[in-house]
Amino acid sequence: MSEDLNKLALKYALINAFQYGGTPNSKAVTGKIMAELPEVRKQAKDVILAVEEAINQISKMSNKDIENKLKEIYPEYFVEKPKEKEAPKVLPPLEGAEIGKVVTRLPPEPNGYPHIGHGMSFYFNYYYAKKYDGKVILRFDDTNPKKEKLEYYDAIKQDLKWLKITWDEECNMSDDMELYYKYALDLIDMGKAYVCNCDAEYVSKLRYESKDCPCVSNSVQDNLSLWKEMETAEEGKYSLRLKGDMASKNTVMRDPTMLRVVDHPHPIQGDKYRIWPVYDFACAIEDSVLGVTHVLRSNEFALRIELQDYIRGLLNLRNPKIIEYSRFTVKGAPTSKRLIRPLIEEHVVSGWDDPRLVTIRGLKRRGITPEAIHMVAEEIGLSKSEPEIDWSLIESLNRKVIDSTSDRYYFVPDPKSLEVIDASYQTIQLKRHPDFDRGFRDVHITDKFYISGNDFVSITKGQILRLKDLFNIIIIDTSTNLIKAMHTDEKTSKDELSKIKKIQWVSDKNVKVSVIVPGILYEGENINPNSLTTINGYGEEGIANLKEGDIVQFERFGFVRVDKIDPSGVTVILTHK
Ligand SMILES: [Zn+2]
């Protein structure tokens, strides 16, 4: 035992001396021993003696001796430990979930294109349905005819497919109008709903004052005949209101409207119906009758849970389990349809797929991948704090996805001419990827090259440079707009080589490339006037053979997604560095 103790004392004393220099700290060394050999805690005196002995021994040693001794008795210390891999974030288990019995829903309203916030909600609901071997229902929440358009149903499905989110069933709320009417009549029969014909302003004033309107005392018979009248009444004249609680602190509970007249054709139902349910009424019913077990949604609906549960309670419908998380925003980017729509209507952005937007289409066009969006969802999780994420998070997750699969190409912004007077015409092969076996690309070389404007202005006569992956040159003339150079084999020892500046180039077999650079749309409250800029340059010839949607890396520039290819050149969007 004491031999073990002495060895251990020497090991930790050496480590302490090696790490911090000087005399080892006896307390720290003692602590390490106790942690490794808990059974010696009872023999504190022996431990202290062993530590003193070790420190004494070390005090006579030089730093080099300390290192050598440590290497001798504990060589493992010098073996580089592999960095601990950061465990990928995993979403927590779902409360009350049973394998095979989980039913979730994706509830888009077809009134616009989904954005990243919808993407998160879709992903969470999809994720848990899959995790528990359950079912996910795509349900269009389409009971607001004035806002909804046919084009959005399809667009949303396309975006879901692109997001790699699948569903097992599909339905529209608007297909269940007769069901809503049946439940509305049930509420009237129970005396739990009444038809109100007060004007809207008066109703909201009474709500504010927690006072009933006279219609609350209509008899069931009155309400049934008024309900009949509603079918042909003009918009705004009548509404069916729930008898809630006018004194409730939750204003949503103060006799809210359940159904009202909307005089507007519906994108699917046309003119078939005029009385439309509000979202809370239709949603309360659908979540139950569709057998939804779990609803994952952002907490902007928090006040409505009480109302929806109350409606279900009256109608004897089962409550799903509701799991709320905070709405999240992306810094500098509008993250709601309410904010995005006016930007499109006022032509501040070019459309729903503008690469500055965090719409699913905008993200796609910029080169953000569905996998990265899944990772954002897992990274943020079901957070209760109000997360405002930075673009850099999306970028770093996306980089993990695309780095290994993006071919490399040369691109020079603001190109300037360089002639290498003794260069021979040849075809060289460059690796498509520096670290992965993705094959080679052909590049045709003549004596004419282009380099970036930045490199051009910094070049001096007599300077030796390396054209990246090609050869070394010495600059012989900088007096005109055409820099002249020639080959050189000077200074090519390995050590010297590493000091030579490498510059990016393209040959005169090239293609015009415009890089659209999306920036932050908002600076505080204001639109950033420079949120979209363009960088023009030349890219190597192979870029012309790419297809729209390809994501590649322009070396030393950044990842880009091909947006458009036409005879005049290639337009790409900068995804991120
Ligand atoms: Zn009234």
Side-chain angles (χ1 to χ4, degrees), residues 194 196-198 203 213-215 241:
Y194 58 94
C196 171
N197 62 353
C198 302
V203 167
C213 80
C215 320
R241 291 173 65 188

Side-chain angles (χ1 to χ4, degrees), residues 12-109:
Y12 283 118
L14 283 167
I15 291 173
N16 192 285
F18 180 71
Q19 271 184 339
Y20 305 107
T23 310
N25 179 324
S26 59
K27 267 194 185 166
V29 175
T30 308
K32 290 280 187 190
I33 297 169
M34 304 275 199
E36 187 169 330
L37 274 186
E39 63 268 30
V40 301
R41 279 181 198 160
K42 287 183 195 141
Q43 307 155 262
K45 215 176 152 192
D46 292 346
V47 176
I48 290 166
L49 281 174
V51 171
E52 267 178 20
E53 166 61 31
I55 291 176
N56 197 22
Q57 196 183 333
I58 290 171
S59 65
K60 293 166 198 150
M61 294 161 77
S62 70
N63 285 344
K64 193 71 204 160
D65 290 341
I66 291 172
E67 187 180 337
N68 287 340
K69 187 74 188 164
L70 186 58
K71 272 184 185 155
E72 179 194 321
I73 68 161
Y74 188 47
E76 301 93 312
Y77 180 78
F78 294 93
V79 177
E80 211 172 305
K81 285 176 203 127
K83 269 188 203 160
E84 254 181 65
K85 250 193 171 176
E86 220 179 288
K89 297 233 172 140
V90 181
L91 292 172
L94 192 59
E95 210 182 312
E98 285 179 60
I99 297 287
K101 291 187 181 166
V102 170
V103 180
T104 63
R105 82 303 201 258
L106 314 173
E109 185 180 359

